[in-house]
Amino acid sequence: NAAVSSSNHKKIWELTGNELQQILQTNIIGPFLCSKEVIQWAKKNRHHIRIINVSSGIVDKGAPYLGAYTISKMGLEGLTISVANDAIDDRLISIVSIKPRSVRTYMTKSFFPKKEYLAMDYPDVLAPVFLYAATAQRNEILGKSLDEPCFSADPGAAITMENKLPLIQPLKMQTPVYRSEYRDKGGAYMHFLQNPFGFCPSVVEVLSKVVNNPSVHQYPDPNYTQLREAISAYLNVDPSDISFGTGSSELIDRAIRIFASKRGNIIITKPTWAHVVWPSCIKYDFLPIEVPYTGSVKRKNIKHDLQGILDAINDWTKLVYLVNPCNPTGSIVEKEELRSFLRQIPSHVTVLIDEAYIEFCEPEKRLNLALEYKEVNCRLIGLRTFSKFFALSGFRVGYAYGNPDTINYLERLSLTFNISSMSQLAALTALKDKAFQEKVYKHNFSERKRICEELDQMDIPNMPSQTNFIVFDCPMDREKMRLEMMKEGIFMPNIDAALGGNLTATAVGLYEHNQKILNLLSKY
Ligand SMILES: Cc1ncc(COP(=O)(O)O)c(C=O)c1O
């Protein structure tokens, strides 16, 4: 690769013909002449060759003041495809191009502001995609344009989705640790942040009565009528304001699929609950823009940077994804602050507020989004799940609510029988069981308070939480802590990577399990 760019910060129409020509000469004519030479040599010597053109992520969106460079890299993509087409029956010749992210090079140094340049990775992060381009089978790469950031994040998804090629590396989720050999210890499965009491007894009772009933082995109600009505009453929204998903994960994926566009971007916080957002952005070619939190655990004031999010919104922003109260930090945005933020979001943006943990939050701190979506300019979607507070994660029931015209977007991509009959019934029963809900809420509230107080007494910095988990600065090796607890049958969450530093989290479990964790921490 040898590429140049004009560093004189001119708009495209300010360039002279000569200036454009110079760039095209190096960036397109150069690779063309080299390719021509090496192809002729390969044909003459009956030698296999592979050409890897270094294109750029810029071809998807362009960038201000880099018009000539953009044109040249698009031309290079054209060269790649043209050689591939003409060489399709000539197995001696393979060609592929790579679109890398911007990394530290002499060229990027010359036109990026210093701060942005210093935030870039060194070029070695690009090695895996080059290795793949150099070694993959010819028919997997011929004429393709490999998107390096997607490839680095998930090679299987990038190759399959971006390039419409056969799956060479199926996407697999790791089997969760609680399904491991420690399962038989009969302990606490706090790993996935569900309420610690587990299955609601009334759900067990109702389900055990209907197992032989035809209504559960035949196709489910495609309109989820009873559940829809129950949720409509629960949230005080119109039944048509609700869309159901196979867990809220599926609704996040669906929202990204709907609003993703090649030029568009989604604004997320850093960190966020990334399990669905990142893979879906990769699948649907959507650019995530991350806005870091402000505050620190030491000062007990970590929170979403709402002004940062507003500043990051541009004309190409399609979606904002905000988890509130937040996974992984447990913090919540103050009601008034959230209301004012939502009112400042422009009308071309859709805001998805993921309320997976809202039922653990103190009622006076909850902003009723059902009242807000009628007042704001943007499209606003609230997202809920039966997985956490209602402990029904295995049943996969989530729902979104918002104005019907917004909800219609989500409905467009919904499958007809998205939620099984058993799951509809389980969710309906859990929603009706107020006694169970009160027990879960009260327990979580008092244990959460107690754990934070105990951590304070041990001088372990921790974050006030409005969820069922608490972030703290771990005084011991975090992996060791989890292993020690696992031996006792207690499965702690592992969200260290999202939090960074020495931060980790514990879920609010039953008293005896929380106590065991606190006892261990008190030794350090
Ligand atoms: C913030 C957040 N949203 C959504 C989900 C997924 O929930 P569901 O089981 O409904 O797909 C989780 C699960 O951990 C979560 O933490």
Side-chain angles (χ1 to χ4, degrees), residues 257-302:
R257 190 150 38 120
I258 288 158
F259 294 107
S261 75
K262 238 188 164 33
R263 285 177 156 257
N265 62 60
I266 171 176
I267 301 192
I268 58 178
T269 55
K270 185 181 170 141
T272 189
W273 186 70
H275 282 54
V276 175
V277 171
W278 271 100
S280 299
C281 284
I282 291 167
K283 277 191 284 185
Y284 308 125
D285 199 6
F286 207 16
L287 177 73
I289 295 179
E290 296 180 291
V291 177
Y293 282 104
T294 59
S296 73
V297 170
K298 255 202 177 85
R299 294 198 303 273
K300 294 187 184 292
N301 65 351
I302 289 190

Side-chain angles (χ1 to χ4, degrees), residues 195 198-204 206-207 227 230 234 386 389-392 423-438:
N195 94 53
F199 227 177
C200 166
S202 58
V203 178
V204 179
V206 168
L207 294 189
L227 184 57
Y234 177 60
F386 280 89
F389 186 79
F390 298 98
L392 291 176
S423 296
Q424 290 185 44
L425 191 55
L428 181 65
T429 311
L431 199 61
K432 281 187 186 157
D433 194 337
K434 297 292 173 206
F436 179 72
Q437 289 165 37
E438 199 177 323

Side-chain angles (χ1 to χ4, degrees), residues 273-516:
W273 186 70
H275 282 54
V276 175
V277 171
W278 271 100
S280 299
C281 284
I282 291 167
K283 277 191 284 185
Y284 308 125
D285 199 6
F286 207 16
L287 177 73
I289 295 179
E290 296 180 291
V291 177
Y293 282 104
T294 59
S296 73
V297 170
K298 255 202 177 85
R299 294 198 303 273
K300 294 187 184 292
N301 65 351
I302 289 190
K303 57 180 199 171
H304 288 306
D305 179 4
L306 298 186
Q307 190 53 50
I309 294 175
L310 289 172
D311 293 344
I313 290 175
N314 60 28
D315 288 351
W316 290 346
T317 302
K318 304 286 180 202
L319 206 55
V320 171
Y321 172 68
L322 197 71
V323 186
N324 191 53
C326 179
N327 180 1
T329 66
S331 62
I332 188 157
V333 180
E334 292 300 325
K335 256 159 80 166
E336 271 318 307
E337 230 185 314
L338 184 58
R339 184 178 284 131
S340 139
F341 165 77
L342 291 172
R343 281 163 200 223
Q344 292 175 67
I345 305 272
S347 57
H348 67 281
V349 175
T350 302
V351 182
L352 187 59
I353 302 214
D354 184 339
E355 301 182 306
Y357 300 93
I358 196 80
E359 280 94 356
F360 293 107
C361 165
E362 290 165 60
E364 62 276 15
K365 290 195 186 294
R366 303 177 196 169
L367 181 69
N368 185 350
L369 296 181
L371 297 180
E372 297 307 310
Y373 63 66
K374 300 188 170 64
E375 302 297 328
V376 292
N377 297 321
C378 62
R379 284 182 288 264
L380 174 60
I381 302 172
L383 193 63
R384 300 236 179 156
T385 178
F386 280 89
S387 295
K388 307 296 174 181
F389 186 79
F390 298 98
L392 291 176
S393 58
F395 286 82
R396 313 303 303 128
V397 188
Y399 59 97
Y401 62 105
N403 269 328
D405 51 350
T406 305
I407 286 300
N408 277 343
Y409 280 97
L410 290 178
E411 284 292 279
R412 250 195 274 181
L413 288 188
S414 172
L415 293 179
T416 311
F417 300 110
N418 224 4
I419 303 176
S420 73
S421 309
M422 275 292 205
S423 296
Q424 290 185 44
L425 191 55
L428 181 65
T429 311
L431 199 61
K432 281 187 186 157
D433 194 337
K434 297 292 173 206
F436 179 72
Q437 289 165 37
E438 199 177 323
K439 175 175 156 187
V440 174
Y441 178 82
K442 281 192 170 154
H443 169 83
N444 186 70
F445 181 86
S446 62
E447 272 300 277
R448 184 172 72 194
K449 188 159 170 280
R450 186 181 75 86
I451 295 168
C452 287
E453 285 167 1
E454 297 262 338
L455 290 172
D456 281 341
Q457 275 187 0
M458 290 186 247
D459 279 334
I460 297 178
N462 62 86
M463 254 307 284
S465 168
Q466 283 296 323
T467 60
N468 59 334
F469 51 91
I470 296 158
V471 169
F472 63 97
D473 206 334
C474 196
M476 62 184 289
D477 181 78
R478 294 171 291 183
E479 218 31 80
K480 189 171 167 215
M481 169 187 73
R482 277 189 290 273
L483 193 63
E484 294 281 307
M485 284 298 112
M486 214 183 325
K487 286 181 195 156
E488 307 242 10
I490 297 174
F491 298 89
M492 296 184 72
N494 179 353
I495 45 180
D496 302 355
L499 291 163
N502 271 334
L503 298 180
T504 191
T506 182
V508 178
L510 297 180
Y511 176 87
E512 59 271 28
H513 300 133
N514 298 334
Q515 203 47 48
K516 278 191 177 159

